[in-house]
Amino acid sequence: MWALISKDTTFNFPREIAEGRYLEYYPDIFIKNGSLDDTLLVLPDKIDKQYLTMASNIVAFMGHNIKDVKNLSAVKGAELAATDANIIVIGTPKDNAAIKDLNDKLYIKFDGKFEKFESSPKMALIEGYNKNLASIQLTTSPFNGEKHLMVITAPKEENLTAAEMYLKDFMFNLKLKGDAAVIDSDGDIYTAYFVKPSQAPKEKTAQSSPTEKTRLQDNPQFVIYLIFFIMLIIISVYVLIIISRSKE
């Protein structure tokens, strides 16, 4: 396949304006002025291949609507300190110390042993079932009330794969809503609004958040740009991990 890219070539990336701190506005809530909005990745204290791939996929998905890669940094969970950045935490309580510290900030909390999620008035979870779920929760940063905290977590690492799909795939992403969601091992998602919207959030549609197929049809050059951009994101995240390791 060939494509001609001239100085007049442009890319059309439809955007949905974020109107609240809800998952239906991911990834736009982490984007400002064509770039990431001072975003800090908080990764497990011992990173493995699965976590590295997950972080890369999430950042690559957020990057499909930005012009350049900047304002992105990464730390280990044990290194998380007060910050004015938006925060995205990935991992389980066992491998990311930040999740234990942030548990009381979550809408769907872990139990005292961090082995399962607890039920809440807005989301009842059956005993046994609550041990094999992943959760995506979006709330206010504990360090800056104007910034976001998104926590992607599960009692066990293998459960996080289901949550990852909703953060990296256009079609799954359309199903995100509310400020907290749980996903089971079959990929089924259950969402809730713990903070009531001042007005009903707009439903995601293929028109407001185009699928990957639509993007490729509308932008013939997009496939070349996307491959290059994902490679750049993966390299950037990998470098951040290497830098973090070198500080040990």
Side-chain angles (χ1 to χ4, degrees), residues 7 31 33 49 87 107 121 154 160 173 238:
K7 64 179 182 179
I31 297 171
N33 299 326
K49 182 179 179 181
I87 305 170
Y107 298 123
L160 288 170
N173 178 250
Y238 182 75

Side-chain angles (χ1 to χ4, degrees), residues 23 26 32 35 44 62 72 78 85 93 122 128 144 151 170 183 219:
L23 292 170
Y26 165 85
K32 183 177 181 181
S35 183
M62 292 194 296
L72 174 67
K122 294 194 176 182
N144 185 330
V151 180
F170 288 106
I183 303 99
N219 304 287

Side-chain angles (χ1 to χ4, degrees), residues 9-115:
T9 299
T10 60
F11 296 95
N12 176 30
F13 299 108
R15 292 289 304 280
E16 178 178 314
I17 298 175
E19 298 176 351
R21 187 177 280 118
Y22 300 108
L23 292 170
E24 42 264 80
Y25 301 122
Y26 165 85
D28 293 319
I29 55 174
F30 292 103
I31 297 171
K32 183 177 181 181
N33 299 326
S35 183
L36 291 176
D37 182 17
D38 291 329
T39 300
L40 175 68
L41 289 176
V42 183
L43 303 174
D45 299 303
K46 291 185 178 180
I47 193 77
D48 60 22
K49 182 179 179 181
Q50 179 178 337
Y51 279 129
L52 180 59
T53 301
M54 185 182 304
S56 300
N57 287 337
I58 291 172
V59 175
F61 183 85
M62 292 194 296
H64 76 270
N65 269 344
I66 66 176
K67 299 175 182 177
D68 50 38
V69 183
K70 61 181 182 179
N71 302 326
L72 174 67
S73 55
V75 297
K76 296 179 180 178
E79 299 172 345
L80 178 62
T83 175
D84 285 330
N86 290 300
I87 305 170
I88 299 176
V89 185
I90 303 172
T92 72
K94 294 181 180 179
D95 55 38
N96 191 326
I99 292 176
K100 288 185 176 181
D101 295 336
L102 294 168
N103 190 48
D104 64 338
K105 308 295 183 184
L106 300 179
Y107 298 123
I108 305 171
K109 298 176 173 57
F110 285 98
D111 70 327
K113 295 182 179 180
F114 294 95
E115 295 177 345

Side-chain angles (χ1 to χ4, degrees), residues 131-149:
K131 293 182 178 180
N132 297 294
L133 297 171
S135 175
I136 306 172
Q137 302 186 51
L138 183 61
T139 185
T140 306
S141 167
F143 309 117
N144 185 330
E146 296 182 357
K147 295 294 184 177
H148 311 302
L149 168 67

Side-chain angles (χ1 to χ4, degrees), residues 192-209:
Y193 289 93
F194 284 79
V195 176
K196 186 177 180 180
S198 56
Q199 60 182 22
K202 296 178 181 178
E203 290 291 333
K204 286 186 177 183
T205 65
Q207 182 177 2
S208 61
S209 297

